[in-house]
Amino acid sequence: MWENIEVALEKTPLDKLKKKPSEDNLGFGVHFTDHMYLSKWNREKGWHDSKICPYQDFQMNPASMVFHYGQAIFEGMKAYRGKDDQIFLFRPKDNFERLNTSALRMCMPRVPVDLVLKSLKALLYLDREWIPSAPGATLYIRPTMIGVDPILGVKPSDTYLFYIIMCPVGAYYPEGFNPTKIYVSDEYVRAVKGGVGQVKTAGNYAASLYMSEIAKKAGYTQVLWLDACEHKYVEEVGTSNIFFQIEDELITPPLGGSILGGITRDSVLKLAQSWGIKTVERPIAIDEVLAASKDGSLKEIFGTGTAAVISPVGELMYKNETYIINNGETGVLAQRLFTELQAIQNGYGADPDKWVVRVC
Ligand SMILES: *Cc1c(COP(=O)(O)O)cnc(C)c1O
């Protein structure tokens, strides 16, 4: 059935094309491109009415299930304008496969990965002028699926929308790396094993807002989450995975069900291994991190995710005590990983694992 899906093309009329925002003030997720991908699903037809169409508002029944019970999953990926003005994607299949893993957990239908990737490439080609050329600026891509039955009974929806919207975003670090200050949450938790922490689903982010606001008011940019049972083991930082360099080991928490399996996390593990760095996926207690900070064996902490790529941590705050990490400076390893990943994403680096996909 999937192989036969036709994807229609409805172009935005020339006189309705939007004015592109200035590249030095893009913000994050504020300006959207002229077109989107949109597809519908129901039990009889599967995916149907698939099209690339003008970016548009939805008209929805207020009872739509997604508004009440949160059947919503998404992805976050980027298109890069790199070497010789070519457009690249980074490990895009991994994003759509992860979307399908999320779909399974949330009782939602799978998307046809090859077709969706082909459609995304067509969409990118159509809106290619929106892909910024300023250094570090990219086009952020947000594939999303929502359950839309207009019924208040609690059950999986029988109808879904899948869509892809895109927005130009500025460089995360326009003035070079800026290590972040992190608030370690010892009260609120993000996710629990057996729940949906490993799924990119809307509710996880709604649940994180309250603690994020507390951290912001205290002057911290992100929250470091501990495990939900003992409030002891480190899980993630904000919406990024987290790494610690202690002595010569690069340590990151294992994917035990409450942590999102980041594609950047996986790329960092593989890159570091290829450089001969010893990587370890194991539970790491906050007390171990703080002890290593005190005795000097903790060299670096950084987060990893599509938005920032690498996000160095300069300070931790835990139970009213602050710990300065690496003199509040960006570490050598964080810098090296950031530089190399950006080079690969822009088509300059060696790419033995074929992570980069050229669009046009
Ligand atoms: C998206 C996300 C990440 C990072 O995943 P990437 O694939 O590297 O972008 C990490 N943690 C959470 C909670 C996320 O939502």
Side-chain angles (χ1 to χ4, degrees), residues 267-345:
S267 307
V268 161
L269 284 171
K270 293 197 169 121
L271 260 187
Q273 284 156 13
S274 78
W275 295 339
I277 294 168
K278 183 164 182 228
T279 63
V280 192
E281 293 173 73
R282 66 160 170 89
I284 177 162
I286 187 68
D287 288 339
E288 179 185 346
V289 173
L290 301 178
S293 165
K294 282 186 177 147
D295 72 19
S297 57
L298 174 68
K299 292 185 183 159
E300 298 185 27
I301 306 179
F302 55 85
T304 65
T306 296
V309 191
I310 304 288
S311 176
V313 174
E315 180 181 326
L316 287 183
M317 203 280 278
Y318 180 60
K319 293 191 192 289
N320 287 324
E321 253 190 86
T322 58
Y323 301 79
I324 302 297
I325 313 301
N326 192 37
N327 298 319
E329 287 162 16
T330 296
V332 175
L333 183 57
Q335 181 67 61
R336 183 178 178 197
L337 285 162
F338 180 72
T339 306
E340 182 61 20
L341 271 173
Q342 269 210 325
I344 295 173
Q345 289 165 341

Side-chain angles (χ1 to χ4, degrees), residues 32-240:
F32 293 92
T33 68
D34 288 310
H35 296 89
M36 64 192 285
Y37 177 81
L38 179 59
S39 189
K40 295 178 183 165
W41 190 93
N42 67 26
R43 286 200 191 279
E44 302 77 60
K45 297 192 199 160
W47 291 110
H48 62 284
D49 282 358
S50 301
K51 59 187 181 182
I52 289 172
C53 59
Y55 188 94
Q56 57 194 261
D57 291 346
F58 291 147
Q59 195 174 12
M60 288 172 69
N61 191 304
S64 298
M65 282 186 167
V66 63
F67 296 143
H68 305 270
Y69 310 124
Q71 241 189 334
I73 56 175
F74 62 91
E75 272 303 321
M77 53 206 291
K78 283 173 167 180
Y80 307 83
R81 185 182 293 280
K83 191 179 177 191
D84 302 329
D85 219 24
Q86 298 173 98
I87 307 302
F88 300 105
L89 290 164
F90 183 70
R91 306 184 65 173
K93 272 201 173 184
D94 293 322
N95 285 98
F96 292 117
E97 270 153 22
R98 184 169 67 188
L99 185 81
N100 280 341
T101 308
S102 297
L104 183 68
R105 179 64 178 84
M106 303 303 288
C107 301
M108 300 168 87
R110 294 168 55 84
V111 299
V113 171
D114 288 331
L115 179 100
V116 165
L117 182 52
K118 225 167 103 182
S119 306
L120 171 60
K121 287 181 182 172
L123 177 64
L124 281 166
Y125 183 73
L126 192 59
D127 278 348
R128 62 192 178 281
E129 283 172 24
W130 284 86
I131 306 170
S133 50
T138 55
L139 190 75
Y140 186 79
I141 301 165
R142 174 53 61 88
T144 309
M145 196 195 302
I146 53 175
V148 292
D149 275 9
I151 299 170
L152 291 184
V154 179
K155 66 169 189 67
S157 182
D158 280 325
T159 53
Y160 294 89
L161 293 181
F162 171 67
Y163 55 92
I164 304 177
I165 52 177
M166 316 196 291
C167 44
V169 298
Y172 212 86
Y173 301 104
E175 283 124 36
F177 257 160
N178 229 340
T180 49
K181 291 170 67 180
I182 303 296
Y183 190 119
V184 183
S185 171
D186 59 342
E187 184 178 2
Y188 298 99
V189 297
R190 190 190 86 93
V192 30
K193 278 192 180 57
V196 292
Q198 80 283 29
V199 176
K200 250 179 147 62
T201 187
N204 286 334
Y205 305 85
S208 75
L209 298 176
Y210 190 79
M211 183 60 228
S212 300
E213 288 301 294
I214 293 176
K216 267 185 204 134
K217 279 190 194 119
Y220 292 81
T221 20
Q222 298 264 24
V223 175
L224 191 149
W225 302 103
L226 302 178
D227 80 277
C229 293
E230 298 177 74
H231 295 194
K232 179 175 169 190
Y233 295 102
V234 172
E235 302 236 302
E236 299 198 60
V237 56
T239 55
S240 301

